[in-house]
Amino acid sequence: MSAHHNRAGWRFTINGEQVSEGTYKRRYIAALERELDAAHEKLAAIYELI
């Protein structure tokens, strides 16, 4: 995912596909939430071992 600033304004692309700002932000937040959930699962597994 990336955001590019040019003379026409902000363009948001995901995997080369131009998307709206809202779509970009929703997908970015969803990706962050997945990473956070995975980190919580790993941490829970560590605590189970202790």
Side-chain angles (χ1 to χ4, degrees), residues 33-50:
E33 288 174 340
R34 283 191 302 273
E35 288 181 21
L36 184 59
D37 288 343
H40 281 153
E41 289 176 15
K42 290 178 183 178
L43 189 57
I46 291 170
Y47 277 113
E48 286 180 19
L49 294 174
I50 296 177

Side-chain angles (χ1 to χ4, degrees), residues 1-3 13-15 23-25 27-29 31-32 34:
M1 288 192 268
S2 64
T13 58
I14 299 174
N15 297 329
T23 298
Y24 178 85
K25 288 180 178 180
R27 291 184 188 178
Y28 182 76
I29 290 168
L32 289 176
R34 283 191 302 273

Side-chain angles (χ1 to χ4, degrees), residues 5-9:
H5 187 60
N6 63 10
R7 284 181 248 157

